[in-house]
Amino acid sequence: ATPKDTPALPDDQFTDNKGRDITVRTYPSGDSAYIRAFDRARTPEVPETATFSDVGKANLLLKRDEHGEVDRAFLQDIEISNKEYRGSGIGSHVLESAENYSKSAKAKEIYGVVSPNAGEEEDLRKWYQGHGYSFRPGSNGEEVYKKL
């Protein structure tokens, strides 16, 4: 089957728990989606293309079954790259946008490889578990997954 763009979701605009106005935008592209988070004080005009993010990001790849239908979404990475924004709820919004996009593409599961920074393993496990994720062995290390 030919890759088809799943329509972009509406921007997720919210105030984080530190009082900053944040926008999370999803940029679909074929079987990929790029999710970017922006602090509106730093980036008043959210870019029309997924060239950068000043706060955080996630990248998704839709996986298809033998009939060409989307069945899973691979969370290639998710991060709040700017440390001053960690712990403010933005990562939860980025993850929720990834899940919503995956659902809109008809994926039945979202999954990814767990690769925490040194010393952050337990916090990362608790964060994923708090969002309804489970863990399983994978071909490239431990995977995190959630049924959608």
Side-chain angles (χ1 to χ4, degrees):
T2 306
K4 295 180 184 142
D5 283 346
T6 299
L9 301 173
D11 287 350
D12 178 10
Q13 297 184 7
F14 63 98
T15 301
D16 74 0
N17 63 20
K18 295 181 181 174
R20 297 173 291 213
D21 291 328
I22 305 296
T23 296
V24 176
R25 179 169 286 176
T26 303
Y27 301 90
S29 178
D31 276 354
S32 297
Y34 308 100
I35 299 159
R36 303 292 184 259
F38 301 93
D39 181 338
R40 295 304 293 266
R42 294 168 52 152
T43 310
E45 296 297 321
V46 175
E48 293 302 315
T49 59
T51 54
F52 75 97
S53 165
D54 66 359
V55 176
K57 68 175 186 168
N59 296 311
L60 277 175
L61 179 62
L62 301 176
K63 298 289 194 166
R64 294 177 178 272
D65 63 17
E66 65 274 6
H67 306 292
E69 300 298 321
V70 172
D71 66 344
R72 300 189 311 156
F74 176 57
L75 185 61
Q76 294 172 301
D77 62 349
I78 182 170
E79 68 174 336
I80 301 304
S81 50
N82 190 324
K83 291 185 181 183
E84 71 183 79
Y85 290 88
R86 290 187 182 165
S88 65
I90 296 169
S92 296
H93 280 265
V94 170
L95 183 61
E96 183 179 339
S97 291
E99 292 173 2
N100 289 340
Y101 184 80
S102 300
K103 287 177 195 173
S104 72
K106 308 224 183 317
K108 298 170 195 70
E109 176 186 80
I110 186 170
Y111 73 103
V113 176
V114 179
S115 54
N117 295 326
E120 297 178 359
E121 296 87 351
E122 192 58 36
D123 287 343
L124 186 64
R125 288 184 76 80
K126 287 178 185 174
W127 185 78
Y128 274 117
Q129 288 170 331
H131 289 86
Y133 283 76
S134 299
F135 296 84
R136 66 184 175 206
S139 57
N140 294 319
E142 188 175 40
E143 287 182 353
V144 59
Y145 71 98
K146 180 178 182 179
K147 299 292 181 190
L148 299 174

